[in-house]
Amino acid sequence: MKQLFYLLIACLCLTGCVDEEPLPDTPRGNMEALWRIIDEHYCFFEYKNIDWQEVYQRYSKQMEERMGPEQQFEVLSNMLAELKDGHVNLYTSFDHGRYWKWHENYPSNFSDTLLNKYLGTDYRIATGMRYRILDDNIGYVYLASFSNGMGAGNLDNVLYHLAPCNGLIIDIRNNGGGMLTSAEQLAARFTNKELLVGYMQHKTGKGHRDFSELREQRLKPSKGLRWQKKVVVLTNRQVFSAANEFVKYMKECPNVTIVGDRTGGGAGLPFSSELPNGWGVRFSACPMYDVNKQSTEFGIDPDYRVDISHEDFLRGKDTIIEFARRILSTHDKQTPITNHAKAHKGQMDRNNLTTGH
């Protein structure tokens, strides 16, 4: 996504001079600096209908000059929580201000105990993915984060190992994000043509409505091995940021079904600045949208909403995984796609994989 690179540069230029007028390292100065940074550069005021001036009036009354660092931190963190944004954080040497209600007030729909039952002990590990072939010949991949780079050779090897499978489950539950490039590289293994997957904007001024025109986000097919059969992506409320974007990309790919709970969202590309006392602040600066030009800041609905039932949990079964297995075990056979892989990979199942040119 070459356009994404230019948007990143534009947003970085904006945040490089956040504090135009130096403010003193006092409780009031830090509060004024934080409020101004967010006021001039945060990207979801209009979408969330937030009156930031009213927030200022309420919290400025709580800030007193005799406050110590921990008291200041509490007030400033509470002020930032008014944005209801998991990408907004305040960093100090003693604590990390965060807003986690986007997933805390919802069922987890995930269990490490159940995950270990499905993975067993002989699973493979590559580029942050744990994967194996389940006993019904369904490929299963668990990816907890997009923090790792997605090596082309790693992805080729993973798909080659899973090639005999009848279908593929990609489980990204509890994936809090990471690098957008990693999400893109993995999604590119599931399309044979370039796809429009969404849109993006960047701030062009200090006003709450000052944004560029919508720029297309396009997903290009990988030049490596590409999967050709059915895929089910598993989600829950803790799927956030780059993982949320991955779901957005996969919804536009053929043969993909999303199963589980609504994702947690996080559709604002985050950037950082600093207060006079040296505390760091991160905030959403560039809004991203789906192909219908709708924000996914508050999450993406699955194609099938499925929760882990108490009865299944007691039986050692993951309701969401089992639902995905039923989808994949009942699909119709697909028309083979010619495989142009090198000779030493010529024996792979040609219904499953193809390569780029």
Side-chain angles (χ1 to χ4, degrees):
M1 296 180 183
K2 191 175 293 183
Q3 292 173 339
L4 177 59
F5 172 78
Y6 295 114
L7 285 170
L8 291 173
I9 296 300
C11 290
L12 284 170
C13 290
L14 283 174
T15 58
C17 53
V18 167
D19 288 329
E20 297 176 351
E21 298 177 10
L23 289 164
D25 178 9
T26 63
R28 176 65 58 181
N30 288 315
M31 190 261 181
E32 294 283 347
L34 179 59
W35 186 87
R36 183 189 299 174
I37 289 168
I38 300 300
D39 181 60
E40 296 179 358
H41 301 282
Y42 185 68
C43 68
F44 289 125
F45 285 120
E46 294 289 321
Y47 179 66
K48 297 181 179 180
N49 194 28
I50 296 171
D51 186 342
W52 194 233
Q53 188 65 48
E54 185 277 330
V55 171
Y56 175 85
Q57 296 299 329
R58 278 192 288 124
Y59 284 91
S60 63
K61 297 175 183 177
Q62 302 177 33
M63 190 61 69
E64 300 177 2
E65 290 305 314
R66 65 177 182 272
M67 280 182 166
E70 293 191 3
Q71 292 172 307
Q72 293 180 56
F73 176 81
E74 181 179 0
V75 173
L76 297 182
S77 293
N78 288 340
M79 183 176 76
L80 291 178
E82 297 283 345
L83 300 172
K84 297 179 172 59
D85 191 327
H87 273 147
V88 175
N89 305 105
L90 185 63
Y91 300 100
T92 75
S93 61
F94 57 85
D95 205 351
H96 173 191
R98 66 271 186 189
Y99 179 83
W100 285 349
K101 289 184 179 179
W102 51 270
H103 70 80
E104 288 176 331
N105 297 333
Y106 299 87
S108 65
N109 278 316
F110 180 78
S111 164
D112 285 323
T113 300
L114 295 181
L115 175 65
N116 292 334
K117 284 182 176 290
Y118 285 87
L119 281 175
T121 58
D122 59 343
Y123 57 86
R124 295 186 172 203
I125 304 174
T127 194
M129 296 185 290
R130 288 184 277 174
Y131 64 102
R132 67 169 303 154
I133 299 174
L134 302 178
D135 55 14
D136 55 355
N137 202 38
I138 297 297
Y140 178 76
V141 175
Y142 180 69
L143 181 59
S145 172
F146 280 107
S147 297
N148 296 313
M150 291 284 176
N154 295 124
L155 291 175
D156 281 347
N157 287 328
V158 171
L159 292 179
Y160 183 63
H161 177 73
L162 299 174
C165 296
N166 296 326
L168 180 62
I169 296 172
I170 302 178
D171 190 346
I172 60 167
R173 290 176 295 173
N174 282 27
N175 185 322
M179 297 186 291
L180 280 177
T181 51
S182 293
E184 177 189 349
Q185 287 164 353
L186 181 56
R189 298 299 180 129
F190 300 97
T191 179
N192 294 319
K193 64 179 182 180
E194 185 173 316
L195 300 172
L196 173 66
V197 291
Y199 297 88
M200 193 174 185
Q201 288 178 300
H202 67 267
K203 288 278 286 181
T204 57
K206 297 178 182 179
H208 291 185
R209 297 182 180 180
D210 293 342
F211 291 99
S212 67
E213 295 295 321
L214 289 172
R215 306 282 184 88
E216 290 185 347
Q217 290 176 287
R218 304 195 73 87
L219 179 67
K220 295 182 178 180
S222 171
K223 295 181 179 179
L225 296 178
R226 297 194 299 268
W227 187 266
Q228 302 300 308
K229 283 192 174 180
K230 299 270 187 178
V231 181
V232 177
V233 177
L234 308 187
T235 60
N236 67 351
R237 287 294 301 192
Q238 291 198 54
V239 171
F240 191 74
S241 191
N244 189 71
E245 281 290 286
F246 176 73
V247 175
K248 186 179 84 175
Y249 303 159
M250 292 296 281
K251 282 182 75 74
E252 304 309 315
C253 293
N255 302 320
V256 175
T257 304
I258 313 298
V259 171
D261 201 352
R262 184 180 178 89
T263 64
L269 201 64
F271 293 96
S272 301
S273 189
E274 189 174 288
L275 304 187
N277 62 2
W279 292 355
V281 57
R282 185 177 76 150
F283 53 91
S284 298
C286 298
M288 295 178 284
Y289 307 86
D290 64 17
V291 291
N292 298 313
K293 300 181 180 179
Q294 300 299 307
S295 174
T296 59
E297 167 67 4
F298 290 132
I300 300 170
D301 285 320
D303 297 311
Y304 295 96
R305 170 64 191 274
V306 182
D307 296 316
I308 296 178
S309 72
H310 181 64
E311 294 76 15
D312 279 347
F313 179 81
L314 293 178
R315 294 189 300 116
K317 297 291 184 181
D318 187 313
T319 314
I320 299 174
I321 292 178
E322 293 302 320
F323 189 92
R325 293 172 83 171
R326 288 196 296 274
I327 289 177
L328 295 171
S329 64
T330 58
H331 72 78
D332 295 330
K333 291 184 178 180
Q334 300 171 324
T335 302
I337 296 177
T338 303
N339 173 36
H340 300 289
K342 293 181 180 179
H344 70 280
K345 294 181 179 177
Q347 299 304 312
M348 70 179 67
D349 183 343
R350 296 184 180 186
N351 285 356
N352 279 290
L353 300 173
T354 189
T355 59
H357 300 281

PDB file of all heavy atoms in Angstrom, residues 45 56 72 83 86 93 114 116 126 134 144 153 187 228 256 316 333 340:
ATOM      1  N   PHE A  45     -13.087  13.314  17.043  1.00  0.00           N
ATOM      2  CA  PHE A  45     -14.006  14.167  17.784  1.00  0.00           C
ATOM      3  C   PHE A  45     -15.403  14.178  17.167  1.00  0.00           C
ATOM      4  O   PHE A  45     -16.404  13.995  17.860  1.00  0.00           O
ATOM      5  CB  PHE A  45     -13.476  15.607  17.841  1.00  0.00           C
ATOM      6  CG  PHE A  45     -12.340  15.807  18.790  1.00  0.00           C
ATOM      7  CD1 PHE A  45     -11.107  16.271  18.331  1.00  0.00           C
ATOM      8  CD2 PHE A  45     -12.479  15.542  20.139  1.00  0.00           C
ATOM      9  CE1 PHE A  45     -10.050  16.470  19.209  1.00  0.00           C
ATOM     10  CE2 PHE A  45     -11.424  15.732  21.024  1.00  0.00           C
ATOM     11  CZ  PHE A  45     -10.212  16.202  20.549  1.00  0.00           C
ATOM     12  N   TYR A  56     -12.459  20.024  28.774  1.00  0.00           N
ATOM     13  CA  TYR A  56     -11.466  20.927  29.354  1.00  0.00           C
ATOM     14  C   TYR A  56     -12.021  21.645  30.583  1.00  0.00           C
ATOM     15  O   TYR A  56     -11.342  21.742  31.627  1.00  0.00           O
ATOM     16  CB  TYR A  56     -11.021  21.960  28.314  1.00  0.00           C
ATOM     17  CG  TYR A  56     -10.090  23.014  28.860  1.00  0.00           C
ATOM     18  CD1 TYR A  56      -8.720  22.789  28.930  1.00  0.00           C
ATOM     19  CD2 TYR A  56     -10.585  24.243  29.319  1.00  0.00           C
ATOM     20  CE1 TYR A  56      -7.862  23.744  29.444  1.00  0.00           C
ATOM     21  CE2 TYR A  56      -9.741  25.199  29.837  1.00  0.00           C
ATOM     22  CZ  TYR A  56      -8.381  24.949  29.896  1.00  0.00           C
ATOM     23  OH  TYR A  56      -7.531  25.895  30.416  1.00  0.00           O
ATOM     24  N   GLN A  72      -1.498  14.120  39.340  1.00  0.00           N
ATOM     25  CA  GLN A  72      -1.610  14.655  37.980  1.00  0.00           C
ATOM     26  C   GLN A  72      -1.939  13.545  36.992  1.00  0.00           C
ATOM     27  O   GLN A  72      -2.788  13.709  36.110  1.00  0.00           O
ATOM     28  CB  GLN A  72      -0.282  15.315  37.567  1.00  0.00           C
ATOM     29  CG  GLN A  72       0.097  16.553  38.322  1.00  0.00           C
ATOM     30  CD  GLN A  72       1.422  17.110  37.813  1.00  0.00           C
ATOM     31  OE1 GLN A  72       1.581  17.396  36.622  1.00  0.00           O
ATOM     32  NE2 GLN A  72       2.380  17.261  38.725  1.00  0.00           N
ATOM     33  N   LEU A  83     -12.140  10.045  25.645  1.00  0.00           N
ATOM     34  CA  LEU A  83     -12.087   9.776  24.201  1.00  0.00           C
ATOM     35  C   LEU A  83     -12.523   8.359  23.858  1.00  0.00           C
ATOM     36  O   LEU A  83     -12.760   8.046  22.687  1.00  0.00           O
ATOM     37  CB  LEU A  83     -10.667  10.011  23.675  1.00  0.00           C
ATOM     38  CG  LEU A  83     -10.127  11.434  23.861  1.00  0.00           C
ATOM     39  CD1 LEU A  83      -8.657  11.494  23.479  1.00  0.00           C
ATOM     40  CD2 LEU A  83     -10.945  12.433  23.055  1.00  0.00           C
ATOM     41  N   GLY A  86      -8.814   2.991  22.625  1.00  0.00           N
ATOM     42  CA  GLY A  86      -7.729   2.118  23.061  1.00  0.00           C
ATOM     43  C   GLY A  86      -6.368   2.504  22.535  1.00  0.00           C
ATOM     44  O   GLY A  86      -5.352   1.984  22.996  1.00  0.00           O
ATOM     45  N   SER A  93       6.986   6.932  34.076  1.00  0.00           N
ATOM     46  CA  SER A  93       7.931   5.939  34.589  1.00  0.00           C
ATOM     47  C   SER A  93       7.290   5.014  35.612  1.00  0.00           C
ATOM     48  O   SER A  93       7.856   3.979  35.951  1.00  0.00           O
ATOM     49  CB  SER A  93       9.138   6.640  35.216  1.00  0.00           C
ATOM     50  OG  SER A  93       8.719   7.452  36.307  1.00  0.00           O
ATOM     51  N   LEU A 114      -8.480 -24.024  26.518  1.00  0.00           N
ATOM     52  CA  LEU A 114      -9.026 -24.675  25.320  1.00  0.00           C
ATOM     53  C   LEU A 114      -8.043 -24.581  24.160  1.00  0.00           C
ATOM     54  O   LEU A 114      -7.896 -25.541  23.385  1.00  0.00           O
ATOM     55  CB  LEU A 114     -10.359 -24.036  24.938  1.00  0.00           C
ATOM     56  CG  LEU A 114     -11.509 -24.216  25.934  1.00  0.00           C
ATOM     57  CD1 LEU A 114     -12.770 -23.553  25.407  1.00  0.00           C
ATOM     58  CD2 LEU A 114     -11.779 -25.699  26.203  1.00  0.00           C
ATOM     59  N   ASN A 116      -4.850 -24.645  24.257  1.00  0.00           N
ATOM     60  CA  ASN A 116      -3.824 -25.669  24.443  1.00  0.00           C
ATOM     61  C   ASN A 116      -4.325 -27.055  24.083  1.00  0.00           C
ATOM     62  O   ASN A 116      -3.551 -27.907  23.622  1.00  0.00           O
ATOM     63  CB  ASN A 116      -3.324 -25.641  25.891  1.00  0.00           C
ATOM     64  CG  ASN A 116      -2.544 -24.377  26.202  1.00  0.00           C
ATOM     65  OD1 ASN A 116      -1.969 -23.758  25.311  1.00  0.00           O
ATOM     66  ND2 ASN A 116      -2.531 -23.983  27.466  1.00  0.00           N
ATOM     67  N   ALA A 126       6.145 -20.415  13.553  1.00  0.00           N
ATOM     68  CA  ALA A 126       6.863 -19.631  12.543  1.00  0.00           C
ATOM     69  C   ALA A 126       6.283 -18.228  12.494  1.00  0.00           C
ATOM     70  O   ALA A 126       5.063 -18.051  12.513  1.00  0.00           O
ATOM     71  CB  ALA A 126       6.761 -20.287  11.165  1.00  0.00           C
ATOM     72  N   LEU A 134      -5.452 -30.236  12.276  1.00  0.00           N
ATOM     73  CA  LEU A 134      -6.358 -30.893  13.214  1.00  0.00           C
ATOM     74  C   LEU A 134      -6.753 -32.269  12.690  1.00  0.00           C
ATOM     75  O   LEU A 134      -6.537 -32.586  11.507  1.00  0.00           O
ATOM     76  CB  LEU A 134      -7.596 -30.027  13.448  1.00  0.00           C
ATOM     77  CG  LEU A 134      -7.328 -28.605  13.987  1.00  0.00           C
ATOM     78  CD1 LEU A 134      -8.641 -27.841  14.128  1.00  0.00           C
ATOM     79  CD2 LEU A 134      -6.568 -28.649  15.303  1.00  0.00           C
ATOM     80  N   ALA A 144      -1.305 -14.518  17.858  1.00  0.00           N
ATOM     81  CA  ALA A 144      -1.618 -13.685  19.012  1.00  0.00           C
ATOM     82  C   ALA A 144      -1.260 -12.223  18.809  1.00  0.00           C
ATOM     83  O   ALA A 144      -1.709 -11.364  19.570  1.00  0.00           O
ATOM     84  CB  ALA A 144      -0.897 -14.216  20.253  1.00  0.00           C
ATOM     85  N   GLY A 153       9.325 -16.210   3.142  1.00  0.00           N
ATOM     86  CA  GLY A 153       9.686 -17.625   3.211  1.00  0.00           C
ATOM     87  C   GLY A 153       8.938 -18.353   4.305  1.00  0.00           C
ATOM     88  O   GLY A 153       8.520 -19.503   4.127  1.00  0.00           O
ATOM     89  N   ALA A 187      -2.729 -11.087   4.797  1.00  0.00           N
ATOM     90  CA  ALA A 187      -3.972 -11.028   4.015  1.00  0.00           C
ATOM     91  C   ALA A 187      -3.707 -11.197   2.523  1.00  0.00           C
ATOM     92  O   ALA A 187      -4.540 -11.748   1.790  1.00  0.00           O
ATOM     93  CB  ALA A 187      -4.685  -9.704   4.281  1.00  0.00           C
ATOM     94  N   GLN A 228      -6.126 -21.110  -1.726  1.00  0.00           N
ATOM     95  CA  GLN A 228      -7.248 -21.053  -2.662  1.00  0.00           C
ATOM     96  C   GLN A 228      -8.551 -21.628  -2.107  1.00  0.00           C
ATOM     97  O   GLN A 228      -9.593 -21.472  -2.739  1.00  0.00           O
ATOM     98  CB  GLN A 228      -6.886 -21.794  -3.953  1.00  0.00           C
ATOM     99  CG  GLN A 228      -5.642 -21.266  -4.654  1.00  0.00           C
ATOM    100  CD  GLN A 228      -5.780 -19.814  -5.049  1.00  0.00           C
ATOM    101  OE1 GLN A 228      -6.750 -19.421  -5.688  1.00  0.00           O
ATOM    102  NE2 GLN A 228      -4.819 -18.990  -4.644  1.00  0.00           N
ATOM    103  N   VAL A 256     -13.663 -16.275   2.296  1.00  0.00           N
ATOM    104  CA  VAL A 256     -13.355 -15.996   3.698  1.00  0.00           C
ATOM    105  C   VAL A 256     -14.632 -15.730   4.477  1.00  0.00           C
ATOM    106  O   VAL A 256     -15.496 -14.969   4.040  1.00  0.00           O
ATOM    107  CB  VAL A 256     -12.403 -14.784   3.832  1.00  0.00           C
ATOM    108  CG1 VAL A 256     -12.185 -14.431   5.308  1.00  0.00           C
ATOM    109  CG2 VAL A 256     -11.076 -15.071   3.150  1.00  0.00           C
ATOM    110  N   GLY A 316     -14.516 -29.311  27.346  1.00  0.00           N
ATOM    111  CA  GLY A 316     -13.214 -29.118  26.717  1.00  0.00           C
ATOM    112  C   GLY A 316     -13.315 -28.753  25.256  1.00  0.00           C
ATOM    113  O   GLY A 316     -12.361 -28.988  24.490  1.00  0.00           O
ATOM    114  N   LYS A 333     -16.583 -28.733  -3.164  1.00  0.00           N
ATOM    115  CA  LYS A 333     -15.263 -28.737  -3.795  1.00  0.00           C
ATOM    116  C   LYS A 333     -15.146 -27.580  -4.772  1.00  0.00           C
ATOM    117  O   LYS A 333     -16.108 -27.202  -5.422  1.00  0.00           O
ATOM    118  CB  LYS A 333     -15.033 -30.074  -4.529  1.00  0.00           C
ATOM    119  CG  LYS A 333     -14.889 -31.258  -3.587  1.00  0.00           C
ATOM    120  CD  LYS A 333     -14.576 -32.518  -4.355  1.00  0.00           C
ATOM    121  CE  LYS A 333     -14.383 -33.703  -3.403  1.00  0.00           C
ATOM    122  NZ  LYS A 333     -14.070 -34.945  -4.145  1.00  0.00           N
ATOM    123  N   HIS A 340       1.707 -22.689 -10.350  1.00  0.00           N
ATOM    124  CA  HIS A 340       2.941 -22.390 -11.075  1.00  0.00           C
ATOM    125  C   HIS A 340       4.152 -22.465 -10.159  1.00  0.00           C
ATOM    126  O   HIS A 340       5.159 -21.797 -10.392  1.00  0.00           O
ATOM    127  CB  HIS A 340       2.855 -20.982 -11.682  1.00  0.00           C
ATOM    128  CG  HIS A 340       1.722 -20.845 -12.646  1.00  0.00           C
ATOM    129  ND1 HIS A 340       1.712 -21.437 -13.878  1.00  0.00           N
ATOM    130  CD2 HIS A 340       0.536 -20.192 -12.530  1.00  0.00           C
ATOM    131  CE1 HIS A 340       0.580 -21.136 -14.512  1.00  0.00           C
ATOM    132  NE2 HIS A 340      -0.150 -20.390 -13.709  1.00  0.00           N
TER     133      HIS A 340
END
